[in-house]
Amino acid sequence: MRKSISEVGVEDFVKAGLTVEEAKEFQRVLKEAIFGAKGSDPREVWRSLVAQRVLKPWHPHALHQLVYYSVYANWDSLTNGPPLYWFPSLDQSKHTNLGRLMEKYGSKLLETSYKDPITSFSHFQNFSVQHPEAYWSIVLKELSVSFHEAPKYILDTSNKSKQGGTWFPGSVLNIAECCLLPRTHPRKEDDSVAVVWRDEGCDDSNIHHMTLKELRERVMLVANALDAVFSKGDAIAIDMPMTINAVIIYLAIILAGFIVVSIADSFAAKEIATRLRVSKAKGIFTQDFILRGGRKFPLYSRVVEAAPYKAIVLPVIGNDVGMQLREQDLSWKEFLSSANHHSRSNNYIPFYQPVESVINILFSSGTTGEPKAIPWTQLSPIRCAADSWAHIDVQVGDVLCWPTNLGWVMGPILLYSCFLSGATLALYHGSPLGHGFGKFVQDAGVTILGTVPSIVKAWKNTECMKGLDWTRIKSFGSTGEASNVDDDLWLSSQSYYNPIIECCGGTELASSYIQGCPLQPQAFGTFSTASMTTGFVILDEHGIPYHDQACVGEVGLFPLYMGATERLLNADHDEVYFKGMPMYKGMHLRRHGDIIKRTVGGYFTVQGRADDTMNIGGIKTSSIEIERVCDRADECILETAAISVAPVDGGPEQLVIFVVLKQGFNIEPDQLKILFSRTIQSNLNPLFKVNYVKIVPEFPRTASNKLLRRVLRDQMKHELSTRSKI
């Protein structure tokens, strides 16, 4: 039985890592904060402790654990909802983007029901769902979006075949130009710092800076070179780490009227080849190597193995690539020289296109063997930037860092969230897992730090960030996989318990459908609201929507969703997202695939996928993809079934492979674990790891012989739960 906060004492604080003298002083300060709380409600006690900064970032994590878990020792989550750790103040709320907007327009839009940004947030979110055209007409003015030809109106719903509506009809723009032009609101000037970065291994060197003008000129130079090498409308891939040059290339491709094909730099050659084939790419930008921890890992050689397309190869170090290139390929230096024929190589007239034009092809795994090719239009950047503006509160002057890659949806989201909001993009050229990354966050003055839960777990467990000052961080973002409460406790404590804004969405939505919000109290590992303009219901097993009660079921999104896809390049969009989904109040609900839980108090947690898509290390993949390579791993294997389960104490999903062996063969599970890990890493993704292997005599199946992965998943959950109690 855990002690309550009134029962812990000096001895407990010493066990948590304090000296006797420190423990006595801490007890005194703690008692004062508890006495100053508004009553004995644990939420008010914790609010008081945080407000008075009783717990310091440099205190041992064991002390943070002791205090937090003792405050909520007798908390009943089933009755009261999840325990809260962050509370917005009324003054703070009015300085957020959404709060400022609500103070200005709330009385007009909500009339007499408007009180203040905190009290009226849920009402305002619901208003944005019912009247999205009103919301978007206001928010567009808050972003750096300039139309070459203005939209006739915000939304056209007359075409009933377009369930998501027609947004900003008649408008023409170039979204890359919007990122690069100075603007009075949000304030972006030519000498504003657009990007800061540092290379791994240069921890004590100065931070590199690039102004908006310098970025624009570099992008225009690359755009001119692109025109010399490719034809308008060509799809051009990027397969390299998210460096300053990758950002320049991404913007240049769109500025010049080409289409970006996003490929993660961790993919094996077969996966690169699939994405190049599906997107019909005409070329690819890549690096000779990837540098991590002082070691070089090949990248260009994987691209060569993948396809014969023209590659433009950037050097990871210095000015010259470290290998012989194929005849059709160009070094970065040679590529840039192709722009020299242009008399004004640092100037470029943008290629303006209708808002519905495709600018980026991204990929998301489905339950078939081939990844879904998802085309982003110019609506998609507006959507993701607006969500970051509203929910993560990205403002002019912020420095936003989020370790990711342009091959994953978070890469483009990060780019647009900065450049369309007037914030500075912070890039670390190296691994985010060590002290070097943390020192960059400190030295660059990062104010918003995005994370993936597995990275946070590594930071906490290795204590690699000890001694650093992250107190300039005003908020964190988290996406990609389920968060662990204790890991989030550690992360938030690094900046005196500022909020972690959880985000859950999809590539096909260009955004998150549920998020945290700076106008609502936050609980670790939960989402507090549907995102602005997003409506959804939670469906029971019969497809009937629950009302507002606590429940668990599949999410059904309202189809009117600005920025969401209308088509897929290699699959039937209607079949993937709408077929089999029920009607609700005259709307055909859109499938997302998540099973979500609504708690008492209206918070949300994601429980997994309705289909067999898995989330391994923040990367969505399918059971079928994993099984395809594992089935061929050894001659002893008859068939495999891949599932993922969350640990009993929460956190990222773990990969489990069930195996049926051929008759007469015998092999140990640990041998198969090593074998499967190697096979998956070489054929799919080197970041994937097999956590458990179970050998079984046969798989559970339906009458029509369909594999029941759900049954296997339940078996594994039960086994892990039993183990945790031993």
Side-chain angles (χ1 to χ4, degrees):
M1 191 75 177
R2 188 181 291 276
K3 291 181 180 180
S4 70
I5 192 64
S6 60
E7 296 170 326
V8 296
V10 171
E11 186 179 338
D12 300 297
F13 303 142
V14 170
K15 286 180 181 177
L18 299 185
T19 66
V20 174
E21 289 305 312
E22 288 171 337
K24 289 178 179 177
E25 175 61 16
F26 185 81
Q27 185 181 45
R28 183 189 66 79
V29 174
L30 179 66
K31 284 184 174 179
E32 285 183 2
I34 294 172
F35 182 76
K38 297 177 180 178
S40 59
D41 186 321
R43 292 169 294 195
E44 293 302 327
V45 172
W46 179 255
R47 188 204 291 253
S48 178
L49 298 182
V50 170
Q52 296 186 44
R53 296 193 166 185
V54 172
L55 289 163
K56 314 294 185 187
W58 54 87
H59 277 150
H61 181 57
L63 184 65
H64 289 270
Q65 291 174 307
L66 174 65
V67 174
Y68 174 77
Y69 294 120
S70 297
V71 166
Y72 283 107
N74 300 313
W75 185 260
D76 184 352
S77 295
L78 292 177
T79 303
N80 303 316
L84 305 176
Y85 74 95
W86 183 82
F87 307 85
S89 73
L90 189 57
D91 181 62
Q92 278 179 324
S93 73
K94 293 178 180 179
H95 289 89
T96 63
N97 288 327
L98 262 185
R100 180 171 45 80
L101 184 147
M102 290 173 67
E103 284 288 273
K104 185 174 181 179
Y105 298 100
S107 296
K108 178 182 178 182
L109 299 177
L110 305 183
E111 299 177 338
T112 56
S113 66
Y114 180 73
K115 303 294 186 237
D116 60 68
I118 295 175
T119 307
S120 302
F121 170 73
S122 293
H123 189 182
F124 185 62
Q125 194 282 333
N126 186 59
F127 174 87
S128 77
V129 176
Q130 303 300 322
H131 306 281
E133 63 281 9
Y135 177 81
W136 285 111
S137 67
I138 295 169
V139 171
L140 270 181
K141 299 170 186 173
E142 300 294 328
L143 301 174
S144 182
V145 176
S146 301
F147 292 102
H148 189 64
E149 294 180 24
K152 297 172 184 174
Y153 30 85
I154 299 295
L155 173 62
D156 180 6
T157 57
S158 61
N159 186 348
K160 298 305 177 186
S161 67
K162 298 185 74 171
Q163 302 191 66
T166 301
W167 295 90
F168 314 135
S171 63
V172 174
L173 75 160
N174 186 296
I175 199 67
E177 181 192 41
C178 296
C179 293
L180 298 168
L181 287 180
R183 189 179 169 97
T184 55
H185 184 76
R187 192 185 75 253
K188 291 166 55 183
E189 299 171 348
D190 271 346
D191 60 355
S192 298
V193 177
V195 189
V196 295
W197 73 96
R198 177 184 278 165
D199 296 329
E200 184 178 84
C202 301
D203 296 356
D204 297 320
S205 66
N206 292 331
I207 300 287
H208 296 285
H209 297 79
M210 185 175 285
T211 66
L212 184 65
K213 182 181 180 183
E214 290 167 339
L215 176 64
R216 184 170 66 248
E217 290 179 348
R218 289 292 294 174
V219 168
M220 289 183 169
L221 171 66
V222 174
N224 279 307
L226 285 167
D227 278 349
V229 177
F230 296 100
S231 301
K232 290 294 184 197
D234 281 352
I236 305 168
I238 300 175
D239 184 3
M240 58 188 290
M242 193 164 175
T243 62
I244 179 64
N245 280 327
V247 170
I248 289 167
I249 292 164
Y250 181 96
L251 290 171
I253 291 173
I254 295 170
L255 187 75
F258 302 99
I259 299 169
V260 175
V261 178
S262 293
I263 302 178
D265 61 11
S266 59
F267 279 131
K270 287 181 181 178
E271 296 300 310
I272 298 171
T274 298
R275 285 154 177 79
L276 292 173
R277 173 179 54 79
V278 170
S279 64
K280 300 178 181 176
K282 296 297 192 295
I284 182 169
F285 283 88
T286 189
Q287 277 183 187
D288 49 3
F289 299 97
I290 296 172
L291 199 60
R292 288 286 186 273
R295 295 176 59 197
K296 285 183 178 180
F297 298 91
L299 181 55
Y300 172 67
S301 60
R302 275 188 270 145
V303 170
V304 169
E305 185 184 344
Y309 304 104
K310 180 187 291 294
I312 294 101
V313 187
L314 287 78
V316 69
I317 300 174
N319 297 316
D320 299 308
V321 294
M323 57 181 56
Q324 182 70 37
L325 303 184
R326 297 175 302 183
E327 186 177 346
Q328 72 265 37
D329 298 336
L330 294 171
S331 70
W332 179 238
K333 188 191 295 184
E334 291 170 328
F335 170 75
L336 292 179
S337 69
S338 62
N340 289 343
H341 71 280
H342 202 282
S343 59
R344 301 180 68 193
S345 59
N346 287 344
N347 281 276
Y348 193 87
I349 298 173
F351 189 82
Y352 297 107
Q353 302 183 85
V355 72
E356 67 271 15
S357 300
V358 175
I359 57 165
N360 195 177
I361 298 170
L362 298 105
F363 295 87
S364 177
S365 288
T367 51
T368 62
E370 189 168 82
K372 298 193 296 287
I374 298 171
W376 266 26
T377 69
Q378 298 195 88
L379 291 169
S380 308
I382 299 173
R383 175 71 199 215
C384 64
D387 271 8
S388 297
W389 178 91
H391 290 269
I392 302 178
D393 197 39
V394 180
Q395 299 190 10
V396 172
D398 275 325
V399 180
L400 176 52
C401 180
W402 203 313
T404 185
N405 187 274
L406 287 169
W408 304 118
V409 67
M410 201 56 231
I413 287 177
L414 173 63
L415 189 154
Y416 292 118
S417 295
C418 290
F419 297 148
L420 295 182
S421 299
T424 297
L425 171 64
L427 301 170
Y428 184 69
H429 296 175
S431 169
L433 295 177
H435 183 84
F437 173 80
K439 189 170 187 300
F440 168 70
V441 169
Q442 169 190 278
D443 296 350
V446 169
T447 59
I448 302 174
L449 177 60
T451 63
V452 174
S454 55
I455 293 179
V456 177
K457 185 177 290 292
W459 291 342
K460 186 195 77 173
N461 291 345
T462 61
E463 299 186 348
C464 62
M465 302 307 175
K466 189 172 280 188
L468 295 174
D469 182 358
W470 281 8
T471 56
R472 288 188 65 180
I473 297 173
K474 71 175 189 178
S475 66
F476 301 89
S478 181
T479 191
E481 53 194 358
S483 291
N484 175 278
V485 170
D486 196 62
D487 296 341
D488 276 1
L489 177 73
W490 175 86
L491 181 65
S492 182
S493 74
Q494 300 304 296
S495 68
Y496 288 107
Y497 288 99
N498 278 325
I500 301 169
I501 303 300
E502 298 280 349
C503 311
C504 181
T507 307
E508 75 283 358
L509 300 177
S511 63
S512 297
Y513 70 93
I514 48 175
Q515 291 189 267
C517 178
L519 301 181
Q520 295 174 298
Q522 298 298 304
F524 288 126
T526 68
F527 311 86
S528 59
T529 181
S531 61
M532 297 303 295
T533 73
T534 299
F536 68 82
V537 291
I538 299 174
L539 305 168
D540 67 16
E541 62 270 27
H542 304 294
I544 307 300
Y546 290 102
H547 293 293
D548 291 335
Q549 74 266 40
C551 58
V552 178
E554 182 176 355
V555 66
L557 298 174
F558 292 4
L560 203 61
Y561 198 114
M562 201 287 277
T565 54
E566 293 180 345
R567 66 188 180 101
L568 298 169
L569 300 187
N570 60 342
D572 186 321
H573 187 272
D574 186 69
E575 186 171 323
V576 171
Y577 296 115
F578 289 97
K579 187 177 180 181
M581 291 296 286
M583 299 294 291
Y584 176 74
K585 294 185 177 181
M587 298 179 288
H588 192 174
L589 294 175
R590 180 181 177 121
R591 177 182 294 108
H592 181 67
D594 283 346
I595 301 293
I596 65 173
K597 175 182 180 180
R598 180 164 50 220
T599 72
V600 171
Y603 290 81
F604 302 95
T605 59
V606 177
Q607 303 289 292
R609 298 287 296 174
D611 54 21
D612 291 313
T613 300
M614 296 182 287
N615 192 323
I616 307 299
I619 300 169
K620 285 182 182 177
T621 189
S622 70
S623 297
I624 290 173
E625 282 182 308
I626 300 285
E627 292 158 7
R628 192 179 72 239
V629 298
C630 287
D631 284 348
R632 302 194 304 266
D634 192 271
E635 63 175 354
C636 71
I637 296 164
L638 178 65
E639 59 179 338
T640 61
I643 63 159
S644 63
V645 292
V648 175
D649 62 347
E653 295 175 29
Q654 297 182 322
L655 178 58
V656 183
I657 309 293
F658 284 81
V659 187
V660 176
L661 297 176
K662 292 177 182 175
Q663 194 168 355
F665 283 86
N666 189 29
I667 189 170
E668 291 297 315
D670 284 348
Q671 289 178 264
L672 284 174
K673 181 178 172 182
I674 295 169
L675 190 65
F676 288 150
S677 290
R678 287 175 180 167
T679 302
I680 291 168
Q681 288 166 2
S682 61
N683 287 280
L684 287 179
N685 196 309
L687 302 179
F688 290 172
K689 181 180 76 172
V690 178
N691 298 94
Y692 302 99
V693 170
K694 294 283 294 179
I695 298 174
V696 295
E698 62 182 3
F699 293 151
R701 296 185 181 275
T702 65
S704 60
N705 207 40
K706 288 183 179 178
L707 177 59
L708 288 168
R709 295 185 185 85
R710 172 179 49 80
V711 174
L712 296 175
R713 191 178 295 115
D714 290 343
Q715 289 176 6
M716 198 64 202
K717 284 180 179 177
H718 177 73
E719 182 176 327
L720 291 176
S721 176
T722 303
R723 284 188 199 177
S724 70
K725 295 173 184 175
I726 297 174

